[in-house]
Amino acid sequence: AQSVTQLDSQVPVFEEAPVELRCNYSSSVSVYLFWYVQYPNQGLQLLLKYLSGSTLVKGINGFEAEFNKSQTSFHLRKPSVHISDTAEYFCAVSGRGNTPLVFGKGTRLSVIA
Amino acid sequence: DAGVIQSPRHEVTEMGQEVTLRCKPISGHDYLFWYRQTMMRGLELLIYFNNNVPIDDSGMPEDRFSAKMPNASFSTLKIQPSEPRDSAVYFCASSLIPGLPTDTQYFGPGTRLTVL
């Protein structure tokens, strides 16, 4: 079975500063990794995903994440955040072979003007 | 495609009443998921279907909860009787085939349920 740990429940950051949201996963099999974003009063939407190949994955809105197999991590980064990035971010893992996503508990990113 | 459609968007009901939440998945998606989101417990998977058949309902909290998928374009989540602790946002999501490179879950806007 897979599991996901998001190490920070809340991350405040000033506008135009860089941010990193941490995610560690546990799995005994090869996995696919995802980051979803939830804006206030909306459903989740896909930000980016790692399937295979290059360990650096670029997503929408300037976000990127790096898959690190040895550290079982998939941290999300953005070099310069905007007010509009204020949202909740969920890391998720899927084991290969018809298994549903397992979500972390989320990290609330608050961008301060 | 209009995306995953959920109704109603908001529901306020009194304890003991029956509540029915509805979901229309994206056409062609074989999998449908029901989630519950609360501040305390985060995002919980309640049940998911493959080709209209329930695959795993281990996340359904208790017998008061039931879910059906009578056809590929419609699913319901029913709570009977409802209790205040059921207050949450309920999301429906659909995807092609989990565990494959095409795996992306598409979420509906959610139904915010308040049980008084």
Side-chain angles (χ1 to χ4, degrees):
Chain A
Q2 295 82 38
S3 67
V4 175
T5 302
Q6 291 186 243
L7 297 163
D8 307 296
S9 60
Q10 297 187 56
V11 174
V13 62
F14 286 104
E15 193 174 18
E16 297 184 8
V19 69
E20 179 178 82
L21 306 183
R22 297 180 293 170
C23 172
N24 286 89
Y25 69 93
S26 173
S27 175
S28 58
V29 298
S30 297
V31 297
Y32 298 127
L33 293 157
F34 304 78
W35 276 98
Y36 280 79
V37 59
Q38 183 182 26
Y39 297 106
N41 299 314
Q42 296 186 27
L44 282 71
Q45 56 184 279
L46 182 68
L47 203 55
L48 50 81
K49 60 182 176 181
Y50 170 78
L51 304 177
S52 64
S54 173
T55 57
L56 185 63
V57 180
K58 293 189 183 299
I60 61 172
N61 300 337
F63 283 93
E64 62 181 32
E66 185 154 21
F67 170 59
N68 188 318
K69 189 174 181 179
S70 63
Q71 297 188 6
T72 60
S73 68
F74 190 55
H75 300 334
L76 181 71
R77 295 191 291 259
K78 186 170 182 177
S80 174
V81 295
H82 302 133
I83 295 288
S84 59
D85 293 323
T86 294
E88 187 139 19
Y89 292 79
F90 293 89
C91 184
V93 62
S94 170
R96 302 183 184 190
N98 286 3
T99 58
L101 289 177
V102 174
F103 285 89
K105 292 195 176 300
T107 297
R108 186 173 298 276
L109 174 65
S110 299
V111 180
I112 306 161
Chain B
D1 199 317
V4 176
I5 299 172
Q6 290 186 250
S7 64
R9 292 294 310 276
H10 302 272
E11 177 81 29
V12 181
T13 190
E14 293 189 346
M15 183 174 63
Q17 296 297 306
E18 178 179 294
V19 174
T20 299
L21 312 181
R22 297 173 177 80
C23 175
K24 176 179 168 52
I26 292 174
S27 177
H29 281 189
D30 294 327
Y31 283 79
L32 182 139
F33 306 83
W34 282 101
Y35 292 90
R36 178 173 67 176
Q37 186 178 38
T38 61
M39 289 291 291
M40 292 295 294
R41 302 171 72 96
L43 194 65
E44 303 173 276
L45 176 64
L46 300 177
I47 184 172
Y48 74 97
F49 295 83
N50 176 25
N51 291 325
N52 315 336
V53 176
I55 301 301
D56 185 352
D57 65 354
S58 60
M60 296 285 260
E62 47 197 277
D63 292 345
R64 297 185 296 106
F65 286 69
S66 62
K68 294 182 180 179
M69 193 165 184
N71 57 62
S73 59
F74 184 66
S75 177
T76 60
L77 178 68
K78 187 175 294 186
I79 309 172
Q80 167 62 16
S82 58
E83 296 182 4
R85 59 192 168 122
D86 301 330
S87 297
V89 180
Y90 291 81
F91 288 103
C92 176
S94 70
S95 73
L96 285 170
I97 304 176
L100 292 184
T102 49
D103 184 8
T104 295
Q105 284 191 24
Y106 295 85
F107 282 75
T111 295
R112 182 174 297 276
L113 173 65
T114 302
V115 183
L116 303 174

